[in-house]
Amino acid sequence: MYEDMVTARLYEERLQEEYMEGKRPGFDISAGDIPGELHLAAGQEAAAVGVCHHLRDDDTVTAPHRPHHVAIAKGVDLKRMTAEIFGRETGLCHGKGGHMHLFDPDVNFACSGIIAQGCPPAVGAGMAAKKRNTDSVAVAYLGEGAIDQGGFLESLNMASVHDLPVVFVIEDNDWAISMPKERVTSPQDGSARADGFDMHGVRVDSDDARAVYEAGAEAVGRARDGNGPTVLEVQVHRRMGHFMGDPETYRPEEDQERAAERDSIERLAADMREFGIDDEELEEIRDRAAERVDEAVTWAKQQPLPEPEAAHDHVFTNPPSGVTDEEPEFSDAGAAAGGDD
Amino acid sequence: MSSQEQQQTGRTATMSDAMVEAIASEMRADEEVFYMGEDVADYGGIFDSTTGLLDEFGRDRVMDVPISETAYLGAAVGAAQAGMRPIAELMFVDFFGVAMDQIYNQMAKNTYMSGGSFSVPMVLTTAVGGTYNDAAQHSQTLYGTFAHLPGMKVVVPSTAYDAKGLMHNAIRDDDPVVYMFHKRLMGIGWMPAPDGPKTPVPEEEYTIPFGKADVKREGDDVTVVTLGLHVHRALEAAETLADEGIDAEVIDLRTLKPLDRETVVESVRKTGSLVVVDEDYQSYGVTGEIISSVAESDIEALEAVERVAVPDVPIPYSRPMENAVIPGAEDVAEAVRSVGE
Ligand SMILES: Cc1ncc(C[n+]2csc(CCOP(=O)(O)OP(=O)(O)O)c2C)c(N)n1
């Protein structure tokens, strides 16, 4: 658990550096090796590992726009995930999805960048497990800002009324971009949403990985044993801006400081020391994680970019007749230009 | 700039400044006008669509809302039916799906279904467009989707001058107006805009009537019809073509509903050839609509025609693929050359 948390943290720090490559001077979101938006999750690791460490490959996880820590905890292929973030051909989604839309069928991991819209598919995965009489479970991750979305509330009802093996994990980092939850959400406690749907709700009030692990064991166990869904809310702290490039002018200084102080990784390390794990061992874990991150990033950056024509593949699994993978004539105008016409 | 209405003025503004200026001036003039959306208060809009409004008008009139598009877009419909003049922002047009009913079935249709007993004087503002690798859920333009439905007016400015005049008009209009602004044109710090959209803008208020296309460049050889970001790409192509001895006329539609078919037909009568450029998906979209309008009113005038649009694929993440599907200036130039042959 500690190793995954450290891997996720180092990964985010490395991506933060890589992202800025080619974007300066003057920040240009469309420049550099990793373009598009990048939402980092440093500070939220406890919520990811505390639950995902109870999961198997055949359990489903749906993640939102801030997915890396959850993906790492679920065992998504780190190299191919990194290649995807760099837009490379050998990335998890062949460069089609990018950082907010990571899909790894080997460990049943999927994402959506539309708020709360990972919830209904998690309900579907739970439904499939129940119909097939397997004991796999589904976990939908979402932010505290997402609990105001219809897709979440409708999913709660559906999961509850059909008694489905689904766990909804709310990562409460207090902010939805610039909007603090006091201003947009009532009531504040996301786990209390469960009451209205006659299901279990529990809130872990601190980003303490061990406490999340215990709560996660109960929620996942309940789902696995056929005893229905749970809403599990975890207080976490967003260390970075909402996305890279966020000026964060809306955020009070104290809030940033608090996020830096309340570090779930340091907290877990302290606990481990108490259990007799010495600094040398912790350092070894850290080194292993750093090496893994470095390997993934180095590998990813050596991967080829996709060919432009590849944009036309994968629109369908089974292309209907009349649809071909051939590029329409007009779109290679760019390539043809400058020729002899 | 060949805009006929445009007055000489020494002052230039970005498109976002021009939009905000119109909103502020309407809010000063009419207590019933208010603005709501996600991150529109303290943040000033992710795409600078509301910069400074909170300071002047306070939280009652510049409201951050929960991430509940169904609720707040529907609330705008309700407030409009109650006689207020809400402006509601959908952060990215791609998110319309979670509130499709409120947009498609309420906002657009209530005037008609009530036999005219209710009007819905609201503005739905929303950011459109790709070109920065944010993948398939954050890069669509969806012009066709909104213009397809009866009952809504649809506006797509391409310059600061137009943005201001069209916004004044949109807020004063008694019908629902969808005001679609391209992110790349706004002049946001972190997303460099081309020079084109930054134009002279008069300080005083003025309106630009809906349904009046603007000839952004006059030319005799071929008519290029487009909107939004692609006005600037078409103008760039026209400069290249001018060096080759091809004189292209560039028409900016400015509004999709109502649509100024006349200006387009007149131009095609002069040039004989038509190229339609659109950043939306090709099938069932703006390109087909423009071509059929010309064919219906004067098929004889039409000697050659080409369309340049996004082939029917979701917008891919990785840069080479995104560049392949979103038309560039070279793609436009190539299409113009081919109709000229
Ligand atoms: C339906 C929809 N509305 C708005 C957005 C834009 N958006 C992206 S992230 C975000 C804030 C999410 O806050 P929260 O759920 O608390 O997650 P966090 O970013 O804090 O991890 C918003 C409003 C979106 N992606 N989808």
Side-chain angles (χ1 to χ4, degrees), chain A residues 1 50 204-217 232 267:
Chain A
M1 210 159 69
V204 177
D205 236 334
S206 62
D207 32 13
D208 172 354
R210 288 169 59 211
V212 182
Y213 186 81
E214 275 161 34
L232 166 56
R267 179 180 192 142

Side-chain angles (χ1 to χ4, degrees), chain B:
Chain B
M1 288 291 323
S2 65
S3 183
Q4 288 137 13
E5 313 93 336
Q6 186 165 336
Q7 296 155 29
Q8 278 310 314
T9 156
R11 195 185 65 126
T12 61
T14 62
M15 204 167 102
S16 76
D17 290 342
M19 251 176 80
V20 173
E21 218 169 84
I23 295 165
S25 131
E26 292 296 328
M27 285 179 75
R28 265 172 233 133
D30 185 354
E31 281 287 322
E32 305 280 8
V33 180
F34 69 100
Y35 201 107
M36 61 178 159
E38 291 153 20
D39 304 285
V40 301
D42 302 73
Y43 199 107
I46 297 298
F47 301 106
D48 292 356
S49 51
T50 52
T51 309
L53 292 180
L54 175 66
D55 287 345
E56 182 176 350
F57 299 102
R59 289 198 192 280
D60 272 356
R61 297 186 67 198
V62 181
M63 295 168 60
D64 275 341
V65 297
I67 310 174
S68 309
E69 283 81 1
T70 295
Y72 79 81
L73 293 177
V77 175
Q81 286 177 185
M84 294 195 78
R85 293 194 169 262
I87 309 169
E89 174 173 312
L90 177 63
M91 190 188 291
F92 289 64
V93 76
D94 313 67
F95 309 157
F96 84 106
V98 300
M100 195 152 171
D101 184 72
Q102 292 302 325
I103 299 168
Y104 246 51
N105 281 326
Q106 319 292 332
M107 173 183 164
K109 295 177 184 165
N110 282 0
T111 302
Y112 185 78
M113 292 191 302
S114 67
S117 8
F118 279 97
S119 59
V120 187
M122 66 176 280
V123 182
L124 170 63
T125 54
T126 188
V128 304
T131 75
Y132 65 112
N133 310 96
D134 221 16
Q137 296 179 342
H138 289 75
S139 304
Q140 300 171 105
T141 55
L142 302 183
Y143 295 143
T145 303
F146 285 81
H148 182 64
L149 198 81
M152 293 188 294
K153 296 171 181 168
V154 180
V155 177
V156 184
S158 74
T159 65
Y161 181 85
D162 291 352
K164 180 168 171 177
L166 289 166
M167 182 60 88
H168 273 294
N169 225 44
I171 299 170
R172 292 175 196 179
D173 200 291
D174 287 334
D175 287 315
V177 177
V178 181
Y179 185 103
M180 307 172 92
F181 55 87
H182 199 293
K183 300 155 203 161
R184 183 53 89 185
L185 299 177
M186 292 291 271
I188 309 156
W190 44 272
M191 196 188 294
D195 289 336
K198 199 167 179 191
T199 58
V201 177
E203 304 217 18
E204 60 276 16
E205 56 186 68
Y206 57 93
T207 57
I208 293 177
F210 292 164
K212 200 157 178 303
D214 189 34
V215 180
K216 290 278 196 281
R217 182 187 194 281
E218 287 181 23
D220 291 326
D221 297 336
V222 52
T223 300
V224 180
V225 176
T226 186
L227 69 169
L229 173 68
H230 282 74
V231 169
H232 304 282
R233 296 198 163 171
L235 288 169
E236 193 188 324
E239 289 312 306
T240 309
L241 292 160
D243 294 340
E244 298 167 22
I246 302 172
D247 190 17
E249 177 145 305
V250 177
I251 295 179
D252 177 357
L253 291 170
R254 295 199 299 198
T255 67
L256 284 172
K257 204 48 119 24
L259 180 64
D260 183 358
R261 299 172 209 266
E262 244 163 67
T263 298
V264 175
V265 174
E266 257 168 50
S267 173
V268 176
R269 283 198 185 111
K270 176 173 74 171
T271 64
S273 312
L274 173 63
V275 172
V276 192
V277 184
D278 181 17
E279 196 183 322
D280 197 0
Y281 309 117
Q282 175 166 306
S283 296
Y284 310 100
V286 173
T287 56
E289 185 62 31
I290 295 296
I291 294 165
S292 68
S293 299
V294 176
E296 275 169 351
S297 54
D298 193 348
I299 200 162
E300 310 275 287
L302 201 57
E303 288 157 24
V305 62
E306 276 279 338
R307 47 177 163 168
V308 186
V310 175
D312 298 332
V313 307
I315 310 292
Y317 169 73
S318 185
R319 194 174 290 137
M321 294 191 290
E322 198 203 48
N323 285 345
V325 302
I326 297 184
E330 251 323 304
D331 299 305
V332 179
E334 188 55 26
V336 172
R337 288 184 199 107
S338 84
V339 294
E341 268 160 17

Side-chain angles (χ1 to χ4, degrees), chain A residues 65-66 113 115 143-146 173 175-177 242, chain B residues 38 67 69 95:
Chain A
H65 57 289
R66 200 182 298 287
I115 293 302
E144 92 293 335
N173 62 16
W175 294 93
I177 312 187
H242 170 75
Chain B
E38 291 153 20
I67 310 174
E69 283 81 1
F95 309 157

